[in-house]
Amino acid sequence: MRLNGLVGGTLGGRLVRWLACLSLGVLGCLCLGVYVSVKSNIEAQQASRLDKSAAAIVHLFEKTQRHQQPGALAHDLEDLLRVNRDLHLKLLDERGDALFISSPDAWPAEGRTYTFNFSAEPRRKDYVAAVLVLDTAPDQAILDRLALILWIAALIGSAAIALGGYFIVFLGLAPVRALAEQTRNLAIRSLDGRLETEGIPAELQVLVDQFNALLDRLEKAYQQLEGFNADVAHELRTPLANIIASSELALRGKERDECLRDCIGSNLEEMRRLSGIVDDMLFLSLADRGAKARRAPVQSLAGMCAEVADYYEAVLTESGLQWTVEGDGAGCFDSALLKRALSNLLNNAARHAERGSTVAIRIAQEAGGQIRLSVANRGEPIHPGSLPHIFNRFFRVDASRSQGSQNHGLGLAIVSAIARMHDGEPFAKSENGETEIGVRLRP
């Protein structure tokens, strides 16, 4: 699971995002609770200080007679407030006018206010009520800093939990990645393979069982399809062989009916063509069932290719083409199958190459020890949309290239089958006026 998967639609990304949101919500609630608790405690302390200060002022009026003297009350109040510099006092008369204000220049614009009245017995006749104001600016600054710290802590905590959750999810999805790798290794040619169930979590066991059951049904259907192809080929082969035999006997007879002989000759040619199709279908069916090439040492692939090209010399000369062999290689191959594949490739190139051009048979060593054997020709390029399908059975690019009376569309399919029988793969490319079709083989 890559980091850019967190913003995509991956399962791991969704889990990490939900975990991050959940952790942010939980940590946010905890931080909010801490903030509210601290704020309530501070407000309780503020209320307690106001109550105690008010009681001290009332006590000053009740127990101290010295305040009856001019200036004595103001001096006593200033001594009381000097200890609490964030407290401010205002004494009011009956009309609400302020007779005494402590620190008028420093009176807070905002603060917590506590108003109380003096009883008739202790108060002087000119003081009726008092207003105590507690400057809450320092406490508010502390709360602001606390809120910022808690908010940052919540974000950092959520990020840490999300990062930890990323690695936990990455480890937790390891069985899913293992299943994906197993399914990637499955192919149509290895339908007997199944997903391993050992070590699979219980949550994925049902999915694996259902997938294996699907593979069972698919393998059975594919075997039925292969059997059908083989059955059709065998059913057609016998009557075709009988028709060919009877036609050959008629041609050897003494009858001189030229029309009859021409008809039989034409039928014989067509039947042989159908027999070739059946043989090719049987070969493809055998390859689809997993048949392997019978390997033997081949000392020079260039020499083998030259033999096949010599055999096709007349066909190439008739098309106005020349041929060359580029490179060489050696290894263990089924030389008969390789000659058949090369024959199909040369036949395909002879049909589509420009007259007067050169058909190149190329042999090259590739990374990983593979041998690349291909035939290249100059001519009309193949459309990119058709390239992936040219190895399909009976596929023709278009009518102008089909020449259906001379080929039946199984040549390149046989090339692909021969490549698979050598544990290789076919390839094709067509660009800049050159078409190259071939196989990659494992020696």
Side-chain angles (χ1 to χ4, degrees):
M1 185 180 64
R2 298 183 177 91
L3 288 175
N4 56 11
L6 296 179
V7 296
T10 63
L11 177 61
R14 289 197 295 267
L15 290 175
V16 172
R17 288 197 300 272
W18 278 109
L19 180 60
C21 294
L22 178 61
S23 60
L24 181 60
V26 173
L27 291 178
C29 292
L30 291 177
C31 292
L32 179 62
V34 171
Y35 178 83
V36 171
S37 178
V38 172
K39 183 178 181 181
S40 300
N41 187 45
I42 290 178
E43 290 177 350
Q45 291 180 357
Q46 292 174 353
S48 177
R49 290 185 59 193
L50 289 173
D51 290 337
K52 292 180 179 179
S53 298
I57 293 173
V58 172
H59 179 74
L60 182 65
F61 274 79
E62 291 177 344
K63 302 299 181 181
T64 305
Q65 298 299 323
R66 196 166 57 87
H67 70 277
Q68 300 292 341
Q69 301 176 3
L73 178 60
H75 184 271
D76 293 339
L77 291 175
E78 289 176 357
D79 290 340
L80 176 64
L81 297 176
R82 189 176 294 115
V83 180
N84 303 298
R85 296 184 178 274
D86 52 352
L87 278 174
H88 301 271
L89 176 65
K90 183 187 295 184
L91 297 178
L92 306 177
D93 59 8
E94 293 179 348
R95 294 178 299 178
D97 296 331
L99 302 178
F100 173 83
I101 300 178
S102 63
S103 303
D105 297 334
W107 190 266
E110 294 182 1
R112 186 161 182 171
T113 302
Y114 184 82
T115 303
F116 61 94
N117 298 321
F118 295 110
S119 60
E121 181 179 356
R123 75 182 187 194
R124 280 193 346 184
K125 61 181 179 178
D126 46 351
Y127 296 130
V128 177
V131 178
L132 267 176
V133 177
L134 177 62
D135 188 4
T136 58
D139 293 336
Q140 187 61 44
I142 293 175
L143 290 175
D144 293 341
R145 288 194 297 272
L146 177 62
L148 178 62
I149 293 172
L150 292 176
W151 177 243
I152 295 175
L155 292 179
I156 295 176
S158 300
I161 294 175
L163 184 61
Y166 169 81
F167 290 104
I168 293 175
V169 170
F170 181 83
L171 295 176
L173 292 179
V176 178
R177 292 193 299 274
L179 287 179
E181 185 62 27
Q182 291 186 53
T183 57
R184 192 178 294 112
N185 294 331
L186 295 177
I188 193 63
R189 298 182 300 277
S190 59
L191 288 178
D192 57 333
R194 296 294 181 269
L195 297 181
E196 298 180 1
T197 58
E198 184 178 358
I200 295 298
E203 293 81 357
L204 298 177
Q205 187 67 48
V206 176
L207 176 63
V208 173
D209 292 340
Q210 292 295 328
F211 190 85
N212 286 337
L214 176 62
L215 288 179
D216 291 336
R217 295 192 296 271
L218 182 60
E219 182 182 14
K220 183 178 179 180
Y222 191 75
Q223 290 175 349
Q224 291 175 349
L225 177 62
E226 290 181 337
F228 172 78
N229 291 336
D231 292 341
V232 169
H234 282 292
E235 291 294 331
L236 290 177
R237 191 173 190 179
T238 300
L240 287 175
N242 294 334
I243 294 174
I244 292 173
S246 61
S247 299
E248 288 177 344
L249 288 175
L251 289 174
R252 293 172 186 169
K254 297 180 179 180
E255 295 82 357
R256 298 300 179 182
D257 191 342
E258 294 297 329
C259 292
L260 178 60
R261 293 177 62 86
D262 291 342
C263 180
I264 294 175
S266 177
N267 288 340
L268 181 60
E269 181 181 355
E270 187 65 23
M271 295 305 174
R272 283 174 177 165
R273 177 176 176 273
L274 292 176
S275 180
I277 295 177
V278 172
D279 290 339
D280 289 343
M281 291 180 64
L282 285 174
F283 177 81
L284 291 174
S285 177
L286 183 66
D288 289 339
R289 286 197 294 260
K292 295 297 181 181
R294 297 177 180 179
R295 297 176 180 266
V298 177
Q299 301 301 327
S300 176
L301 287 175
M304 184 196 71
C305 294
E307 293 179 8
V308 178
D310 285 336
Y311 180 80
Y312 274 86
E313 181 76 31
V315 177
L316 295 174
T317 302
E318 183 180 354
S319 301
L321 302 173
Q322 298 179 348
W323 61 270
T324 60
V325 178
E326 303 173 1
D328 197 0
C332 292
F333 305 101
D334 191 325
S335 58
L337 291 180
L338 287 189
K339 289 179 180 180
R340 184 174 185 179
L342 184 59
S343 297
N344 290 347
L345 292 175
L346 285 174
N347 187 32
N348 182 75
R351 292 197 309 271
H352 306 309
E354 292 179 352
R355 190 173 186 84
S357 62
T358 299
V359 175
I361 303 173
R362 297 171 180 172
I363 305 170
Q365 187 85 24
E366 291 192 338
Q370 286 188 328
I371 296 292
R372 185 182 65 187
L373 174 63
S374 63
V375 174
N377 65 273
R378 304 290 302 181
E380 181 183 353
I382 302 175
H383 190 275
S386 300
L387 276 177
H389 306 290
I390 63 173
F391 296 103
N392 294 347
R393 301 175 189 181
F394 303 107
F395 178 80
R396 294 183 176 90
V397 176
D398 52 47
S400 63
R401 296 174 61 95
S402 63
Q403 301 182 13
S405 61
Q406 301 180 19
N407 69 92
H408 45 260
L410 292 177
L412 293 183
I414 292 175
V415 171
S416 176
I418 293 174
R420 296 197 305 270
M421 294 172 73
H422 284 83
D423 298 323
E425 61 182 1
F427 72 92
K429 61 179 181 179
S430 183
E431 55 188 8
N432 300 324
E434 182 184 79
T435 299
E436 182 179 5
I437 304 175
V439 294
R440 293 184 177 92
L441 309 172
R442 292 188 178 275

